[in-house]
Amino acid sequence: MSATSLAALARTSDPQTVLRRFLALDAVVTGANGIAYLAVPGPLGRLLGVDSTLLLVLGAFLTLYAAAVGLLASRARPAALPVRAVIEANLGWSVLSVVALLVWLSPSTAGAVWTVLQALTVAGFAGLQFAALKARQDISD
C-alpha cells in the first residue's frame, strides 16, 4: 500500500497522523470487543458456542490491551518499538485465533465466522499500522 493510498484512507497526508489514527481505531474496536465480552459473556458465549469464562478472560485482556494501544495512539509521535510490538501482537492474535479454531475451539457456525472475521480484522490493523510506520520512515528504529 502506498503512502498516498494510506493518506487517502486516513484522510490526511501526514504519516504521523495516519499511524495514530490506525492505532486509535485498533484501540476502539478492540476495546469494544473486550467490553462486550466482559458485559455479556453468557449470551455471547451461547451465540458463539464458546465458554463464557473464556470470554471473560479474553474480555479483560482485550480491554487492557486496547487501553495500552489507545495510550500509544495518544502520543504525539508514538515510538517505533511499541508500535512494532502492537503490530506483532496483532499478527500473533490473528494466527492464534485461526489455530485455536482449527485445534482447540468447537464454536457454533456464528462463532467460527466471528473468529475468522476478527482474525482478518486484526491482521488488517497490523498491515495498516505497518504501512503507516513504514511511511513515517522509521521502521528500523
mmCIF file with all atom_site columns, all heavy atoms in Angstrom, residues 45-66:
data_model
loop_
_atom_site.group_PDB
_atom_site.id
_atom_site.type_symbol
_atom_site.label_atom_id
_atom_site.label_alt_id
_atom_site.label_comp_id
_atom_site.label_asym_id
_atom_site.label_entity_id
_atom_site.label_seq_id
_atom_site.pdbx_PDB_ins_code
_atom_site.Cartn_x
_atom_site.Cartn_y
_atom_site.Cartn_z
_atom_site.occupancy
_atom_site.B_iso_or_equiv
_atom_site.pdbx_formal_charge
_atom_site.auth_seq_id
_atom_site.auth_comp_id
_atom_site.auth_asym_id
_atom_site.auth_atom_id
_atom_site.pdbx_PDB_model_num
ATOM 1   N N   . GLY A 1 45 ? -21.400 -16.097 24.676 1.00 0.00 ? 45 GLY A N   1
ATOM 2   C CA  . GLY A 1 45 ? -20.868 -17.460 24.708 1.00 0.00 ? 45 GLY A CA  1
ATOM 3   C C   . GLY A 1 45 ? -21.828 -18.449 24.054 1.00 0.00 ? 45 GLY A C   1
ATOM 4   O O   . GLY A 1 45 ? -21.408 -19.316 23.288 1.00 0.00 ? 45 GLY A O   1
ATOM 5   N N   . ARG A 1 46 ? -23.115 -18.302 24.361 1.00 0.00 ? 46 ARG A N   1
ATOM 6   C CA  . ARG A 1 46 ? -24.113 -19.199 23.755 1.00 0.00 ? 46 ARG A CA  1
ATOM 7   C C   . ARG A 1 46 ? -24.197 -18.973 22.245 1.00 0.00 ? 46 ARG A C   1
ATOM 8   O O   . ARG A 1 46 ? -24.269 -19.922 21.474 1.00 0.00 ? 46 ARG A O   1
ATOM 9   C CB  . ARG A 1 46 ? -25.474 -19.006 24.417 1.00 0.00 ? 46 ARG A CB  1
ATOM 10  C CG  . ARG A 1 46 ? -25.534 -19.600 25.822 1.00 0.00 ? 46 ARG A CG  1
ATOM 11  C CD  . ARG A 1 46 ? -26.936 -19.576 26.416 1.00 0.00 ? 46 ARG A CD  1
ATOM 12  N NE  . ARG A 1 46 ? -27.417 -18.232 26.696 1.00 0.00 ? 46 ARG A NE  1
ATOM 13  C CZ  . ARG A 1 46 ? -27.094 -17.505 27.782 1.00 0.00 ? 46 ARG A CZ  1
ATOM 14  N NH1 . ARG A 1 46 ? -26.264 -17.999 28.687 1.00 0.00 ? 46 ARG A NH1 1
ATOM 15  N NH2 . ARG A 1 46 ? -27.590 -16.307 27.965 1.00 0.00 ? 46 ARG A NH2 1
ATOM 16  N N   . LEU A 1 47 ? -24.177 -17.708 21.821 1.00 0.00 ? 47 LEU A N   1
ATOM 17  C CA  . LEU A 1 47 ? -24.245 -17.396 20.390 1.00 0.00 ? 47 LEU A CA  1
ATOM 18  C C   . LEU A 1 47 ? -23.023 -17.932 19.646 1.00 0.00 ? 47 LEU A C   1
ATOM 19  O O   . LEU A 1 47 ? -23.154 -18.532 18.576 1.00 0.00 ? 47 LEU A O   1
ATOM 20  C CB  . LEU A 1 47 ? -24.347 -15.879 20.178 1.00 0.00 ? 47 LEU A CB  1
ATOM 21  C CG  . LEU A 1 47 ? -24.251 -15.407 18.725 1.00 0.00 ? 47 LEU A CG  1
ATOM 22  C CD1 . LEU A 1 47 ? -25.481 -15.851 17.939 1.00 0.00 ? 47 LEU A CD1 1
ATOM 23  C CD2 . LEU A 1 47 ? -24.096 -13.896 18.672 1.00 0.00 ? 47 LEU A CD2 1
ATOM 24  N N   . LEU A 1 48 ? -21.852 -17.731 20.225 1.00 0.00 ? 48 LEU A N   1
ATOM 25  C CA  . LEU A 1 48 ? -20.613 -18.115 19.558 1.00 0.00 ? 48 LEU A CA  1
ATOM 26  C C   . LEU A 1 48 ? -20.206 -19.566 19.812 1.00 0.00 ? 48 LEU A C   1
ATOM 27  O O   . LEU A 1 48 ? -19.308 -20.079 19.149 1.00 0.00 ? 48 LEU A O   1
ATOM 28  C CB  . LEU A 1 48 ? -19.473 -17.182 20.000 1.00 0.00 ? 48 LEU A CB  1
ATOM 29  C CG  . LEU A 1 48 ? -19.683 -15.691 19.723 1.00 0.00 ? 48 LEU A CG  1
ATOM 30  C CD1 . LEU A 1 48 ? -18.558 -14.869 20.322 1.00 0.00 ? 48 LEU A CD1 1
ATOM 31  C CD2 . LEU A 1 48 ? -19.844 -15.423 18.244 1.00 0.00 ? 48 LEU A CD2 1
ATOM 32  N N   . GLY A 1 49 ? -20.869 -20.211 20.774 1.00 0.00 ? 49 GLY A N   1
ATOM 33  C CA  . GLY A 1 49 ? -20.527 -21.585 21.104 1.00 0.00 ? 49 GLY A CA  1
ATOM 34  C C   . GLY A 1 49 ? -19.195 -21.678 21.826 1.00 0.00 ? 49 GLY A C   1
ATOM 35  O O   . GLY A 1 49 ? -18.427 -22.621 21.622 1.00 0.00 ? 49 GLY A O   1
ATOM 36  N N   . VAL A 1 50 ? -18.919 -20.679 22.680 1.00 0.00 ? 50 VAL A N   1
ATOM 37  C CA  . VAL A 1 50 ? -17.654 -20.588 23.413 1.00 0.00 ? 50 VAL A CA  1
ATOM 38  C C   . VAL A 1 50 ? -17.973 -20.425 24.888 1.00 0.00 ? 50 VAL A C   1
ATOM 39  O O   . VAL A 1 50 ? -18.951 -19.768 25.255 1.00 0.00 ? 50 VAL A O   1
ATOM 40  C CB  . VAL A 1 50 ? -16.827 -19.382 22.897 1.00 0.00 ? 50 VAL A CB  1
ATOM 41  C CG1 . VAL A 1 50 ? -15.546 -19.213 23.677 1.00 0.00 ? 50 VAL A CG1 1
ATOM 42  C CG2 . VAL A 1 50 ? -16.524 -19.543 21.411 1.00 0.00 ? 50 VAL A CG2 1
ATOM 43  N N   . ASP A 1 51 ? -17.140 -20.989 25.739 1.00 0.00 ? 51 ASP A N   1
ATOM 44  C CA  . ASP A 1 51 ? -17.326 -20.897 27.179 1.00 0.00 ? 51 ASP A CA  1
ATOM 45  C C   . ASP A 1 51 ? -17.309 -19.441 27.641 1.00 0.00 ? 51 ASP A C   1
ATOM 46  O O   . ASP A 1 51 ? -16.432 -18.671 27.243 1.00 0.00 ? 51 ASP A O   1
ATOM 47  C CB  . ASP A 1 51 ? -16.216 -21.690 27.877 1.00 0.00 ? 51 ASP A CB  1
ATOM 48  C CG  . ASP A 1 51 ? -16.376 -21.681 29.377 1.00 0.00 ? 51 ASP A CG  1
ATOM 49  O OD1 . ASP A 1 51 ? -17.358 -22.276 29.864 1.00 0.00 ? 51 ASP A OD1 1
ATOM 50  O OD2 . ASP A 1 51 ? -15.524 -21.067 30.053 1.00 0.00 ? 51 ASP A OD2 1
ATOM 51  N N   . SER A 1 52 ? -18.253 -19.073 28.500 1.00 0.00 ? 52 SER A N   1
ATOM 52  C CA  . SER A 1 52 ? -18.340 -17.690 28.964 1.00 0.00 ? 52 SER A CA  1
ATOM 53  C C   . SER A 1 52 ? -17.123 -17.286 29.808 1.00 0.00 ? 52 SER A C   1
ATOM 54  O O   . SER A 1 52 ? -16.730 -16.119 29.816 1.00 0.00 ? 52 SER A O   1
ATOM 55  C CB  . SER A 1 52 ? -19.638 -17.457 29.737 1.00 0.00 ? 52 SER A CB  1
ATOM 56  O OG  . SER A 1 52 ? -19.691 -18.284 30.878 1.00 0.00 ? 52 SER A OG  1
ATOM 57  N N   . THR A 1 53 ? -16.515 -18.246 30.489 1.00 0.00 ? 53 THR A N   1
ATOM 58  C CA  . THR A 1 53 ? -15.302 -17.929 31.265 1.00 0.00 ? 53 THR A CA  1
ATOM 59  C C   . THR A 1 53 ? -14.167 -17.519 30.330 1.00 0.00 ? 53 THR A C   1
ATOM 60  O O   . THR A 1 53 ? -13.419 -16.582 30.623 1.00 0.00 ? 53 THR A O   1
ATOM 61  C CB  . THR A 1 53 ? -14.880 -19.129 32.135 1.00 0.00 ? 53 THR A CB  1
ATOM 62  O OG1 . THR A 1 53 ? -15.959 -19.474 32.992 1.00 0.00 ? 53 THR A OG1 1
ATOM 63  C CG2 . THR A 1 53 ? -13.650 -18.811 32.956 1.00 0.00 ? 53 THR A CG2 1
ATOM 64  N N   . LEU A 1 54 ? -14.041 -18.201 29.207 1.00 0.00 ? 54 LEU A N   1
ATOM 65  C CA  . LEU A 1 54 ? -13.034 -17.827 28.217 1.00 0.00 ? 54 LEU A CA  1
ATOM 66  C C   . LEU A 1 54 ? -13.294 -16.408 27.729 1.00 0.00 ? 54 LEU A C   1
ATOM 67  O O   . LEU A 1 54 ? -12.362 -15.606 27.601 1.00 0.00 ? 54 LEU A O   1
ATOM 68  C CB  . LEU A 1 54 ? -13.038 -18.806 27.039 1.00 0.00 ? 54 LEU A CB  1
ATOM 69  C CG  . LEU A 1 54 ? -12.112 -18.455 25.877 1.00 0.00 ? 54 LEU A CG  1
ATOM 70  C CD1 . LEU A 1 54 ? -10.652 -18.417 26.321 1.00 0.00 ? 54 LEU A CD1 1
ATOM 71  C CD2 . LEU A 1 54 ? -12.305 -19.430 24.727 1.00 0.00 ? 54 LEU A CD2 1
ATOM 72  N N   . LEU A 1 55 ? -14.556 -16.071 27.485 1.00 0.00 ? 55 LEU A N   1
ATOM 73  C CA  . LEU A 1 55 ? -14.883 -14.725 27.026 1.00 0.00 ? 55 LEU A CA  1
ATOM 74  C C   . LEU A 1 55 ? -14.546 -13.684 28.088 1.00 0.00 ? 55 LEU A C   1
ATOM 75  O O   . LEU A 1 55 ? -14.080 -12.584 27.754 1.00 0.00 ? 55 LEU A O   1
ATOM 76  C CB  . LEU A 1 55 ? -16.352 -14.625 26.617 1.00 0.00 ? 55 LEU A CB  1
ATOM 77  C CG  . LEU A 1 55 ? -16.734 -15.374 25.345 1.00 0.00 ? 55 LEU A CG  1
ATOM 78  C CD1 . LEU A 1 55 ? -18.203 -15.167 25.026 1.00 0.00 ? 55 LEU A CD1 1
ATOM 79  C CD2 . LEU A 1 55 ? -15.870 -14.952 24.171 1.00 0.00 ? 55 LEU A CD2 1
ATOM 80  N N   . LEU A 1 56 ? -14.784 -14.006 29.364 1.00 0.00 ? 56 LEU A N   1
ATOM 81  C CA  . LEU A 1 56 ? -14.427 -13.071 30.436 1.00 0.00 ? 56 LEU A CA  1
ATOM 82  C C   . LEU A 1 56 ? -12.924 -12.814 30.460 1.00 0.00 ? 56 LEU A C   1
ATOM 83  O O   . LEU A 1 56 ? -12.473 -11.669 30.579 1.00 0.00 ? 56 LEU A O   1
ATOM 84  C CB  . LEU A 1 56 ? -14.889 -13.597 31.794 1.00 0.00 ? 56 LEU A CB  1
ATOM 85  C CG  . LEU A 1 56 ? -16.358 -13.404 32.125 1.00 0.00 ? 56 LEU A CG  1
ATOM 86  C CD1 . LEU A 1 56 ? -16.721 -14.163 33.400 1.00 0.00 ? 56 LEU A CD1 1
ATOM 87  C CD2 . LEU A 1 56 ? -16.684 -11.924 32.262 1.00 0.00 ? 56 LEU A CD2 1
ATOM 88  N N   . VAL A 1 57 ? -12.141 -13.876 30.360 1.00 0.00 ? 57 VAL A N   1
ATOM 89  C CA  . VAL A 1 57 ? -10.678 -13.733 30.366 1.00 0.00 ? 57 VAL A CA  1
ATOM 90  C C   . VAL A 1 57 ? -10.227 -12.933 29.144 1.00 0.00 ? 57 VAL A C   1
ATOM 91  O O   . VAL A 1 57 ? -9.417  -12.005 29.251 1.00 0.00 ? 57 VAL A O   1
ATOM 92  C CB  . VAL A 1 57 ? -9.993  -15.117 30.405 1.00 0.00 ? 57 VAL A CB  1
ATOM 93  C CG1 . VAL A 1 57 ? -8.499  -15.006 30.172 1.00 0.00 ? 57 VAL A CG1 1
ATOM 94  C CG2 . VAL A 1 57 ? -10.291 -15.806 31.730 1.00 0.00 ? 57 VAL A CG2 1
ATOM 95  N N   . LEU A 1 58 ? -10.748 -13.293 27.979 1.00 0.00 ? 58 LEU A N   1
ATOM 96  C CA  . LEU A 1 58 ? -10.397 -12.559 26.761 1.00 0.00 ? 58 LEU A CA  1
ATOM 97  C C   . LEU A 1 58 ? -10.849 -11.109 26.853 1.00 0.00 ? 58 LEU A C   1
ATOM 98  O O   . LEU A 1 58 ? -10.137 -10.197 26.416 1.00 0.00 ? 58 LEU A O   1
ATOM 99  C CB  . LEU A 1 58 ? -11.010 -13.224 25.528 1.00 0.00 ? 58 LEU A CB  1
ATOM 100 C CG  . LEU A 1 58 ? -10.425 -14.569 25.133 1.00 0.00 ? 58 LEU A CG  1
ATOM 101 C CD1 . LEU A 1 58 ? -11.214 -15.164 23.967 1.00 0.00 ? 58 LEU A CD1 1
ATOM 102 C CD2 . LEU A 1 58 ? -8.960  -14.451 24.785 1.00 0.00 ? 58 LEU A CD2 1
ATOM 103 N N   . GLY A 1 59 ? -12.030 -10.880 27.409 1.00 0.00 ? 59 GLY A N   1
ATOM 104 C CA  . GLY A 1 59 ? -12.541 -9.518  27.558 1.00 0.00 ? 59 GLY A CA  1
ATOM 105 C C   . GLY A 1 59 ? -11.634 -8.656  28.421 1.00 0.00 ? 59 GLY A C   1
ATOM 106 O O   . GLY A 1 59 ? -11.350 -7.503  28.086 1.00 0.00 ? 59 GLY A O   1
ATOM 107 N N   . ALA A 1 60 ? -11.167 -9.221  29.538 1.00 0.00 ? 60 ALA A N   1
ATOM 108 C CA  . ALA A 1 60 ? -10.253 -8.477  30.408 1.00 0.00 ? 60 ALA A CA  1
ATOM 109 C C   . ALA A 1 60 ? -8.953  -8.168  29.670 1.00 0.00 ? 60 ALA A C   1
ATOM 110 O O   . ALA A 1 60 ? -8.461  -7.026  29.703 1.00 0.00 ? 60 ALA A O   1
ATOM 111 C CB  . ALA A 1 60 ? -9.980  -9.271  31.682 1.00 0.00 ? 60 ALA A CB  1
ATOM 112 N N   . PHE A 1 61 ? -8.402  -9.181  29.005 1.00 0.00 ? 61 PHE A N   1
ATOM 113 C CA  . PHE A 1 61 ? -7.157  -8.975  28.257 1.00 0.00 ? 61 PHE A CA  1
ATOM 114 C C   . PHE A 1 61 ? -7.349  -7.919  27.172 1.00 0.00 ? 61 PHE A C   1
ATOM 115 O O   . PHE A 1 61 ? -6.537  -6.996  27.039 1.00 0.00 ? 61 PHE A O   1
ATOM 116 C CB  . PHE A 1 61 ? -6.675  -10.294 27.642 1.00 0.00 ? 61 PHE A CB  1
ATOM 117 C CG  . PHE A 1 61 ? -5.538  -10.091 26.685 1.00 0.00 ? 61 PHE A CG  1
ATOM 118 C CD1 . PHE A 1 61 ? -4.253  -9.880  27.166 1.00 0.00 ? 61 PHE A CD1 1
ATOM 119 C CD2 . PHE A 1 61 ? -5.756  -10.077 25.308 1.00 0.00 ? 61 PHE A CD2 1
ATOM 120 C CE1 . PHE A 1 61 ? -3.192  -9.657  26.280 1.00 0.00 ? 61 PHE A CE1 1
ATOM 121 C CE2 . PHE A 1 61 ? -4.712  -9.860  24.427 1.00 0.00 ? 61 PHE A CE2 1
ATOM 122 C CZ  . PHE A 1 61 ? -3.428  -9.648  24.913 1.00 0.00 ? 61 PHE A CZ  1
ATOM 123 N N   . LEU A 1 62 ? -8.399  -8.066  26.373 1.00 0.00 ? 62 LEU A N   1
ATOM 124 C CA  . LEU A 1 62 ? -8.615  -7.137  25.259 1.00 0.00 ? 62 LEU A CA  1
ATOM 125 C C   . LEU A 1 62 ? -8.834  -5.713  25.732 1.00 0.00 ? 62 LEU A C   1
ATOM 126 O O   . LEU A 1 62 ? -8.380  -4.752  25.103 1.00 0.00 ? 62 LEU A O   1
ATOM 127 C CB  . LEU A 1 62 ? -9.793  -7.602  24.397 1.00 0.00 ? 62 LEU A CB  1
ATOM 128 C CG  . LEU A 1 62 ? -9.560  -8.877  23.592 1.00 0.00 ? 62 LEU A CG  1
ATOM 129 C CD1 . LEU A 1 62 ? -10.853 -9.315  22.911 1.00 0.00 ? 62 LEU A CD1 1
ATOM 130 C CD2 . LEU A 1 62 ? -8.448  -8.698  22.583 1.00 0.00 ? 62 LEU A CD2 1
ATOM 131 N N   . THR A 1 63 ? -9.539  -5.559  26.851 1.00 0.00 ? 63 THR A N   1
ATOM 132 C CA  . THR A 1 63 ? -9.788  -4.218  27.380 1.00 0.00 ? 63 THR A CA  1
ATOM 133 C C   . THR A 1 63 ? -8.487  -3.558  27.831 1.00 0.00 ? 63 THR A C   1
ATOM 134 O O   . THR A 1 63 ? -8.236  -2.381  27.534 1.00 0.00 ? 63 THR A O   1
ATOM 135 C CB  . THR A 1 63 ? -10.805 -4.288  28.536 1.00 0.00 ? 63 THR A CB  1
ATOM 136 O OG1 . THR A 1 63 ? -12.013 -4.888  28.035 1.00 0.00 ? 63 THR A OG1 1
ATOM 137 C CG2 . THR A 1 63 ? -11.129 -2.908  29.074 1.00 0.00 ? 63 THR A CG2 1
ATOM 138 N N   . LEU A 1 64 ? -7.641  -4.315  28.512 1.00 0.00 ? 64 LEU A N   1
ATOM 139 C CA  . LEU A 1 64 ? -6.342  -3.779  28.930 1.00 0.00 ? 64 LEU A CA  1
ATOM 140 C C   . LEU A 1 64 ? -5.449  -3.487  27.718 1.00 0.00 ? 64 LEU A C   1
ATOM 141 O O   . LEU A 1 64 ? -4.777  -2.447  27.660 1.00 0.00 ? 64 LEU A O   1
ATOM 142 C CB  . LEU A 1 64 ? -5.649  -4.745  29.880 1.00 0.00 ? 64 LEU A CB  1
ATOM 143 C CG  . LEU A 1 64 ? -6.287  -4.900  31.255 1.00 0.00 ? 64 LEU A CG  1
ATOM 144 C CD1 . LEU A 1 64 ? -5.621  -6.026  32.036 1.00 0.00 ? 64 LEU A CD1 1
ATOM 145 C CD2 . LEU A 1 64 ? -6.235  -3.591  32.024 1.00 0.00 ? 64 LEU A CD2 1
ATOM 146 N N   . TYR A 1 65 ? -5.438  -4.397  26.765 1.00 0.00 ? 65 TYR A N   1
ATOM 147 C CA  . TYR A 1 65 ? -4.644  -4.207  25.551 1.00 0.00 ? 65 TYR A CA  1
ATOM 148 C C   . TYR A 1 65 ? -5.116  -2.963  24.796 1.00 0.00 ? 65 TYR A C   1
ATOM 149 O O   . TYR A 1 65 ? -4.302  -2.142  24.349 1.00 0.00 ? 65 TYR A O   1
ATOM 150 C CB  . TYR A 1 65 ? -4.739  -5.457  24.667 1.00 0.00 ? 65 TYR A CB  1
ATOM 151 C CG  . TYR A 1 65 ? -3.979  -5.355  23.373 1.00 0.00 ? 65 TYR A CG  1
ATOM 152 C CD1 . TYR A 1 65 ? -2.595  -5.492  23.348 1.00 0.00 ? 65 TYR A CD1 1
ATOM 153 C CD2 . TYR A 1 65 ? -4.633  -5.132  22.165 1.00 0.00 ? 65 TYR A CD2 1
ATOM 154 C CE1 . TYR A 1 65 ? -1.880  -5.403  22.157 1.00 0.00 ? 65 TYR A CE1 1
ATOM 155 C CE2 . TYR A 1 65 ? -3.934  -5.046  20.969 1.00 0.00 ? 65 TYR A CE2 1
ATOM 156 C CZ  . TYR A 1 65 ? -2.564  -5.177  20.969 1.00 0.00 ? 65 TYR A CZ  1
ATOM 157 O OH  . TYR A 1 65 ? -1.864  -5.088  19.792 1.00 0.00 ? 65 TYR A OH  1
ATOM 158 N N   . ALA A 1 66 ? -6.426  -2.796  24.687 1.00 0.00 ? 66 ALA A N   1
ATOM 159 C CA  . ALA A 1 66 ? -6.985  -1.634  23.992 1.00 0.00 ? 66 ALA A CA  1
ATOM 160 C C   . ALA A 1 66 ? -6.574  -0.338  24.688 1.00 0.00 ? 66 ALA A C   1
ATOM 161 O O   . ALA A 1 66 ? -6.256  0.654   24.027 1.00 0.00 ? 66 ALA A O   1
ATOM 162 C CB  . ALA A 1 66 ? -8.500  -1.741  23.921 1.00 0.00 ? 66 ALA A CB  1
#
